[in-house]
Amino acid sequence: MATEELVRIDNLKKHFKISNGIFRKNTVVKAVDGLNFSVYKGETLGIVGESGCGKSTTGRLLMKLLEATEGKMYFEGEDVSTWDKQKLKARRRDFQMIFQDPYASLNPRMIVEDIIEEPLKTTDMSKEERKARVKQLLDDVGIPQDYRTRYPHEFSGGQRQRIGIARALALKPKFIVADEPVAALDVSIQAQIINLLVDLQEEYDFTYLFIAHDLSVVQYISDRVGVMYLGKMVELSESDDLYENPLHPYTQALLSSVPVPDIHHVKDRIPLEGEIPSPDNPPSGCPFHPRCPIAKQHCKEEVPSFREITEGHYVACHEVK
Ligand SMILES: Nc1ncnc2c1ncn2[C@@H]1O[C@H](COP(=O)(O)OP(=O)(O)OP(=O)(O)O)[C@@H](O)[C@H]1O
Ligand SMILES: [Mg+2]
């Protein structure tokens, strides 16, 4: 597997200050709380975890749509925080995001060809070149050419997502964050869009950070998978290794709730009990300890470090030896 770093983040944090009510003034929501990982050129890195664990915030930080509270991000080895406005503007085309809800991300008053052409207007491409690129993109995402003068509301959910994908690809980005790109679609359409996303990566040669709730989706398309819990990464490894040999009790619990087609693979179910604690008041020590079936006293007191256990397999758990 290629291991040339495209992106690296170092102790990345995003804490939101919110004031809610008289008694809980200035609460701090630790949406992302100290992430360390790399994304390698050409790979698909899947990110999974329950609602509210900080997946979208991570994606937005990586896209520079949010300013980090702390920590560093490197893109092709360059410290992104040293980029001035002009440099950031110039490099923005390398970063693109595909959203969960394509309807919300497409301008309802624009026709499809204008939606896809819009990002191209920031380049020095001629009008003819832009038209040719839009035509190619429509073909690549499977939207018939004669639909190009239609408005977003005239399309189905799956088609709208295809349009969102075409727009994201328009500038031939190096890095795409896909934030639950099929979660809002009918199950029957999901596989088509996933297959399209996989095919486009081969054709356009970019790198994915692919966020999903559904572990089975991520397993199918990811080279590596990271599991998040309460703003932290608790396990990260090559996809096959994670599914065959999950080390963190949280990953084990998530996996045991995924239906497995092969009967010989059925593991004992590990129930995931209790509510996810709030990121404005995370538990002491290991954030997973209140729900963990194997937690010991020290898990309540000490934050586990994110350690490499076998080559490329990282875990944050005191009990993994
Ligand atoms: N702009 C914001 N202001 C305050 N809190 C925020 C903001 N954005 C996110 N949060 C909080 O940060 C935490 C992480 O949110 P995030 O959207 O990153 O989670 P997620 O893993 O993407 O969840 P989901 O699976 O539901 O999409 C949540 O508690 C959320 O309420
Ligand atoms: Mg999200």
Side-chain angles (χ1 to χ4, degrees), residues 14 16-18 29-32 49-58 60 66 100 179-180 211 213 228 278-280:
K14 182 67 194 181
F16 293 106
K17 285 199 184 72
I18 48 167
V29 179
K30 296 179 177 177
V32 167
E50 286 164 291
S51 184
C53 70
K55 303 181 296 295
S56 296
T57 305
T58 303
R60 293 199 181 102
L66 278 177
Q100 173 174 336
D179 189 357
E180 309 212 35
I211 297 170
H213 262 98
M228 284 186 70
S278 168
D280 65 11

Side-chain angles (χ1 to χ4, degrees), residues 116-160:
I116 301 172
E117 189 189 358
E118 193 180 42
L120 300 172
K121 289 184 172 164
T122 62
T123 69
D124 52 13
M125 288 169 85
S126 68
K127 186 144 185 72
E128 287 68 40
E129 286 171 326
R130 295 200 304 261
K131 291 283 172 223
R133 174 75 63 83
V134 171
K135 190 167 183 289
Q136 178 71 50
L137 285 160
L138 287 170
D139 282 346
D140 289 344
V141 300
I143 295 285
Q145 294 294 334
D146 46 344
Y147 288 7
R148 67 186 188 280
T149 53
R150 295 188 181 184
Y151 289 90
H153 74 264
E154 297 176 86
F155 292 90
S156 68
Q159 286 173 323
R160 278 200 288 269

Side-chain angles (χ1 to χ4, degrees), residues 197-213:
L197 289 167
V198 171
D199 292 346
L200 289 169
Q201 186 178 29
E202 270 186 27
E203 210 173 307
Y204 280 79
D205 191 27
F206 52 77
T207 302
Y208 270 130
L209 185 91
F210 198 103
I211 297 170
H213 262 98

